[in-house]
Amino acid sequence: MKYKVNRRIFNQYLAEEVREHGSERRVAMRTRLSHTLIQSLRKGFETTKDGRRIPKTQVNLATARKIEAAWGIPREVCFLPDVLDARSINAA
């Protein structure tokens, strides 16, 4: 299952972590994720090897939980399940 990233909240927490630990790379190492992933989430896109920019708006559950645990983010504040329920299907 994919989890949608609330970039505004993500960037607020990231800025606080960078203030506390000194750099985005140190924050990524502390979170045990790649700096490139953290950077892509901050920007909202990732750049492919051929230079195209593709949106980066979702992460998997394991990634969401790692960031939440490392940064002290309450569950489902920054990362929300990206699913449709029966109510949203019927409303369409």
Side-chain angles (χ1 to χ4, degrees):
M1 179 184 304
K2 292 291 185 175
Y3 281 71
K4 187 163 177 60
V5 179
N6 181 322
R7 270 195 35 229
R8 183 181 59 80
I9 293 172
F10 176 86
N11 286 337
Q12 288 174 344
Y13 275 96
L14 177 59
E16 183 59 35
E17 290 293 313
V18 169
R19 272 193 291 280
E20 186 175 328
H21 299 287
S23 75
E24 201 171 271
R25 286 189 186 277
R26 286 185 183 151
V27 170
M29 285 174 40
R30 184 175 169 271
T31 310
R32 294 184 156 171
L33 296 171
S34 74
H35 173 253
T36 304
L37 174 63
I38 299 296
Q39 185 179 42
S40 295
L41 291 172
R42 176 177 50 83
K43 291 179 175 182
F45 66 86
E46 55 189 337
T47 306
T48 63
K49 290 181 181 180
D50 63 357
R52 293 180 297 123
R53 290 181 173 181
I54 56 174
K56 181 66 175 172
T57 59
Q58 299 176 329
V59 295
N60 64 34
L61 176 60
T63 300
R65 295 298 184 245
K66 279 184 181 180
I67 294 170
E68 289 169 342
W71 299 359
I73 302 173
R75 286 191 177 184
E76 297 190 4
V77 168
C78 184
F79 304 99
L80 296 172
D82 195 20
V83 297
L84 294 176
D85 60 12
R87 290 174 292 174
S88 60
I89 293 170
N90 293 334

